[in-house]
Amino acid sequence: VNRTLVRLLLDREQELRERHGISFRITGVATRRLGWIADPDGLDQAALLALSSDELPNPTRAEPALSGTEGTLAPHHPEPRDNVRDWLSAAHADVLFEATALNLESGQPAVDHIRAALEHGAHAITANKGPIVHAYRELRDLATAQGKRFLFESTVMDGVPVFSLFPQLPLIHLQGFHGILNSTTNVILSEMENGLSFDESLKKAQALGIAETDATHDIDGWDAAVKTAALITVLMDVPVKLDEIQSEGIGGLSGEAVRAGRKEDRPYKLICRVKKTASGITASVRPEQIPLTDPMAQIAGTSSYIYFETDIFPGLAITEENPGLYATAYGMLADFVRAVRPDISLR
Amino acid sequence: VNRTLVRLLLDREQELRERHGISFRITGVATRRLGWIADPDGLDQAALLALSSDELPNPTRAEPALSGTEGTLAPHHPEPRDNVRDWLSAAHADVLFEATALNLESGQPAVDHIRAALEHGAHAITANKGPIVHAYRELRDLATAQGKRFLFESTVMDGVPVFSLFPQLPLIHLQGFHGILNSTTNVILSEMENGLSFDESLKKAQALGIAETDATHDIDGWDAAVKTAALITVLMDVPVKLDEIQSEGIGGLSGEAVRAGRKEDRPYKLICRVKKTASGITASVRPEQIPLTDPMAQIAGTSSYIYFETDIFPGLAITEENPGLYATAYGMLADFVRAVRPDISLR
């Protein structure tokens, strides 16, 4: 994600300056391979561009994470905590872009990185869902205390402003939601409907760059469950543990079953469902057969969908169709603008 | 709309105070029947509630419009301009809620009311699309110069935050959109599919309180065209005249044609379409037969839909299903919160 973000930032540099009065320098990059690089005067852009295209051929092994006089990055694997602090100081970081891989159990090292950034006095922007599930309240309150922002729009629906929508819905009471939030399984199900086996579909999703080399979290439903937990935590203000979400993946579905479902006009989809109850919430992630009259039946490939149930709007749904290459990195860029130009919503 | 707003404001008074630190007094009401009422100490709530339920049985003849130490309202028909100014002063208005009826030709008297409110130093919130089409840039710039807000979220999709979404999409380039934006015609088409004639369907829409006594603007496509023009004007920053939108209503469709369309799985819908071109935009509002694979085929009754084409998100769609009674007035309430608590997007 952060490699794409570097390209997107450089691509939109002029527009950021002219439309929003934002200028930035990338003053730090940290990856498992490169270590902790910092230069408060700004890293060389040509080198960054090279790094963002060829130098790091395996994005799962080396996610750069940026910092700067607006801009900073964090590493892919746990490192002694002092490294982050020293690096943030050396980079004179005003903003940390955190994009380490999801750790289901603890949210680490992302939680430590974000905490360090906020304590350092930088905004913290993450594409990692783990910290929301494991440390949302702490990080939110720390950000408030520091007068900085903790933002994570790109964690659900590739940067479509789902989290940012709700402050625009003051006094609304969210009573539940359902949707399709995991691209990898949705691509696999679409390909299985088209005649491929499960393994062939997974390989195709991997070849397209949608699924990671290890797609276990997607297939088992955990990626969708963590997104569901993040939405519950932030939008319903109900702290929820992952094991409170009944999760079932798509590994048990045969190609025959998937094709028969589509043929009967009751296609299989991996559906997240949440309902508010008197005592809290009920939540599930599981494959369901849904009728063609439900808009979810048409959500194919990398598209995603969420349907919110609220008191004023009984059904308010957002569809993201065929996100572009930049969609996830865009969520981080938009968070960057939100963080450094909070007056943007007054335009 | 403003009658419902009074009820909604009083209903959410405690929550506004406790969640957002907003307290208000309704210090003025203006309607064609009641004239210009003002009391800076606040009007009697019981009287307002009575007014909002029984006193004004015909909402098309007397839309109250509110004002206050947060709150003010405006009249249904042209009145000498001094009346508005005197009334805003007498009410000590901080906010004007404008809900006069749509004037396709000039946007008056709403434009004058909003201008007067901004010049007086009050935020101006309108449910009327006319001023956006006829005076958007002037009113937007006047609001900026006065340090006040000119807001109009309830003019399109009943207060679903469509206009408020775009500041949350910084650097996005909107290339076009399409959708279903007029409830009256959508209800009529749904009822015709169910076997009613055009006239019976219109009467049913009127009995349900969806269509006005004079539904000409809806049926002829003008309501949808004005909404389309408002979206183009605000979201694409292209000033567009109504006659640049090719508009055709649903008056030419027979019950037989509508039922045959649904039977062939190509139902009729009144569709708004806009595309950016090299020289400007092309825009149309007309009945179209659409395939069942298009989500618009499922948008029935009072539901509405908009699909935005952008560079980062090739398809970003919002569906509003079965809006509640308060949906349009809610848009004005949300604008009120946005105006007086601009920090709300930082939560």
Side-chain angles (χ1 to χ4, degrees):
Chain A
V1 176
N2 263 337
R3 294 201 305 168
T4 317
L5 177 61
V6 170
R7 247 174 298 169
L8 189 57
L9 272 168
L10 298 178
D11 187 48
R12 301 295 172 101
E13 192 166 10
Q14 186 182 353
E15 201 179 350
L16 274 166
R17 195 173 52 242
E18 291 173 3
R19 269 181 75 178
H20 298 296
I22 298 170
S23 58
F24 66 89
R25 286 200 303 282
I26 298 174
T27 61
V29 168
T31 77
R32 192 165 60 162
R33 209 174 96 173
L34 299 176
W36 308 87
I37 299 169
D39 181 344
D41 296 325
L43 300 170
D44 183 62
Q45 297 217 349
L48 281 168
L49 272 178
L51 170 146
S52 75
S53 53
D54 308 312
E55 290 286 292
L56 301 167
N58 185 347
T60 63
R61 300 202 56 202
E63 298 276 7
L66 318 183
S67 119
T69 297
E70 316 288 354
T72 302
L73 324 195
H76 191 63
H77 271 267
E79 298 273 351
R81 201 167 150 170
D82 284 348
N83 283 354
V84 192
R85 299 175 175 279
D86 293 346
W87 173 71
L88 289 163
S89 293
H92 296 193
D94 293 322
V95 179
L96 169 76
F97 295 94
E98 216 286 340
T100 55
L102 174 62
N103 175 330
L104 278 175
E105 287 70 32
S106 68
Q108 291 293 10
V111 173
D112 280 345
H113 296 159
I114 293 167
R115 194 188 288 124
L118 293 169
E119 286 171 351
H120 168 80
H123 300 292
I125 294 168
T126 188
N128 187 326
K129 302 171 279 288
I132 307 177
V133 176
H134 290 283
Y136 173 65
R137 289 187 173 190
E138 179 212 325
L139 296 173
R140 176 195 64 184
D141 294 345
L142 176 58
T144 304
Q146 295 287 86
K148 296 291 162 186
R149 307 293 303 276
F150 165 46
L151 298 172
F152 38 77
E153 193 58 270
S154 56
T155 56
V156 177
M157 286 181 89
D158 301 316
V160 167
V162 174
F163 294 107
S164 307
L165 180 71
F166 275 76
Q168 301 302 327
L169 289 168
L171 304 169
I172 282 268
H173 300 110
L174 181 58
Q175 289 149 345
F177 63 86
H178 61 264
I180 296 174
L181 298 175
N182 179 266
S183 296
T184 296
T185 49
N186 208 47
V187 167
I188 291 174
L189 291 173
S190 295
E191 293 299 332
M192 285 166 84
E193 286 181 356
N194 294 336
L196 298 190
S197 70
F198 182 91
D199 287 339
E200 290 164 340
S201 302
L202 172 58
K203 275 187 191 125
K204 186 156 177 183
Q206 285 165 333
L208 290 169
I210 295 150
E212 290 177 55
T213 314
D214 179 1
T216 320
H217 286 342
D218 297 301
I219 293 160
D220 289 351
W222 285 112
D223 177 83
V226 178
K227 286 174 175 161
T228 303
L231 290 167
I232 294 168
T233 304
V234 178
L235 301 181
M236 303 175 104
D237 203 22
V238 174
V240 65
K241 291 205 173 64
L242 272 183
D243 59 15
E244 293 171 63
I245 298 172
Q246 293 177 38
S247 298
E248 183 190 331
I250 62 163
L253 292 177
S254 68
E256 290 69 38
V258 170
R259 285 186 285 279
R262 178 57 72 178
K263 210 172 165 188
E264 293 159 12
D265 287 345
R266 297 188 61 238
Y268 278 97
K269 293 286 174 190
L270 186 68
I271 310 285
C272 313
R273 280 193 198 276
V274 174
K275 278 272 183 199
K276 204 161 201 166
T277 63
S279 58
I281 51 112
T282 59
S284 65
V285 172
R286 64 167 79 99
E288 292 184 23
Q289 286 189 272
I290 48 171
L292 281 194
T293 48
D294 189 312
M296 291 193 290
Q298 310 288 355
I299 303 300
T302 58
S303 299
S304 54
Y305 178 87
I306 191 154
Y307 182 106
F308 294 108
E309 297 161 41
T310 79
D311 50 350
I312 300 283
F313 303 107
L316 183 59
I318 302 176
T319 311
E320 180 194 18
E321 252 188 45
N322 306 316
L325 275 176
Y326 283 157
T328 304
Y330 170 78
M332 301 188 89
L333 176 63
D335 278 346
F336 174 51
V337 176
R338 276 188 274 272
V340 304
R341 291 302 306 263
D343 57 329
I344 195 171
S345 64
L346 305 186
R347 306 282 173 87
Chain B
V1 176
N2 264 337
R3 295 200 306 168
T4 316
L5 177 61
V6 169
R7 245 174 299 170
L8 188 58
L9 272 168
L10 298 177
D11 187 49
R12 301 296 172 100
E13 192 166 9
Q14 186 182 354
E15 203 180 350
L16 273 166
R17 196 172 52 243
E18 291 174 1
R19 267 179 76 178
H20 298 296
I22 298 170
S23 58
F24 66 89
R25 287 199 304 282
I26 297 174
T27 60
V29 169
T31 77
R32 193 165 59 161
R33 208 173 98 171
L34 299 177
W36 307 86
I37 299 169
D39 181 345
D41 295 326
L43 299 171
D44 183 61
Q45 297 216 350
L48 281 169
L49 272 178
L51 171 143
S52 77
S53 53
D54 307 314
E55 290 287 293
L56 301 167
N58 184 347
T60 65
R61 298 204 55 202
E63 298 276 4
L66 316 183
S67 120
T69 298
E70 318 287 357
T72 301
L73 326 193
H76 190 61
H77 272 268
E79 298 273 351
R81 201 166 151 173
D82 283 349
N83 283 354
V84 191
R85 298 173 176 281
D86 292 347
W87 172 71
L88 289 162
S89 292
H92 295 193
D94 293 324
V95 179
L96 169 75
F97 295 96
E98 216 285 343
T100 55
L102 174 61
N103 175 329
L104 278 176
E105 286 71 31
S106 68
Q108 292 293 11
V111 173
D112 279 345
H113 296 160
I114 292 166
R115 195 187 287 124
L118 293 169
E119 286 171 352
H120 168 80
H123 300 292
I125 294 167
T126 188
N128 187 326
K129 301 170 280 287
I132 307 176
V133 176
H134 290 284
Y136 173 65
R137 289 187 174 189
E138 179 212 326
L139 297 173
R140 176 196 66 185
D141 294 344
L142 176 59
T144 304
Q146 294 287 87
K148 297 292 161 185
R149 308 293 304 277
F150 165 46
L151 298 172
F152 38 78
E153 193 58 272
S154 55
T155 57
V156 177
M157 286 180 89
D158 301 315
V160 167
V162 174
F163 293 108
S164 307
L165 179 70
F166 275 76
Q168 301 302 327
L169 289 168
L171 304 169
I172 281 267
H173 300 110
L174 181 58
Q175 289 148 345
F177 62 86
H178 61 263
I180 296 174
L181 299 175
N182 178 266
S183 296
T184 296
T185 48
N186 208 47
V187 167
I188 291 173
L189 291 173
S190 295
E191 292 301 331
M192 285 167 84
E193 285 180 357
N194 294 337
L196 297 191
S197 70
F198 182 92
D199 287 341
E200 289 165 341
S201 301
L202 172 57
K203 275 187 193 125
K204 187 156 176 182
Q206 284 165 335
L208 290 169
I210 295 151
E212 291 177 54
T213 315
D214 178 1
T216 319
H217 285 343
D218 297 303
I219 293 160
D220 289 351
W222 285 112
D223 177 83
V226 178
K227 285 173 174 161
T228 302
L231 291 167
I232 295 168
T233 303
V234 178
L235 301 181
M236 302 175 105
D237 203 22
V238 174
V240 66
K241 292 203 173 65
L242 273 183
D243 59 15
E244 294 172 63
I245 298 172
Q246 294 177 37
S247 297
E248 183 189 331
I250 62 164
L253 291 177
S254 68
E256 291 69 37
V258 170
R259 285 186 285 280
R262 176 59 72 179
K263 211 171 163 188
E264 293 159 10
D265 287 345
R266 298 189 61 237
Y268 278 97
K269 292 287 175 189
L270 186 68
I271 309 285
C272 313
R273 281 192 197 275
V274 174
K275 277 274 184 197
K276 205 163 202 165
T277 64
S279 57
I281 52 111
T282 59
S284 65
V285 173
R286 65 167 76 101
E288 292 182 24
Q289 287 191 272
I290 50 170
L292 281 192
T293 47
D294 190 313
M296 291 193 289
Q298 311 288 354
I299 303 300
T302 59
S303 299
S304 54
Y305 178 87
I306 191 157
Y307 182 106
F308 293 108
E309 296 161 42
T310 79
D311 50 349
I312 300 285
F313 303 108
L316 183 60
I318 303 175
T319 311
E320 180 194 18
E321 254 189 43
N322 306 316
L325 276 176
Y326 284 156
T328 304
Y330 170 78
M332 300 187 91
L333 176 64
D335 278 345
F336 173 51
V337 177
R338 275 186 275 269
V340 304
R341 291 303 306 264
D343 57 327
I344 194 171
S345 63
L346 305 185
R347 308 280 174 84

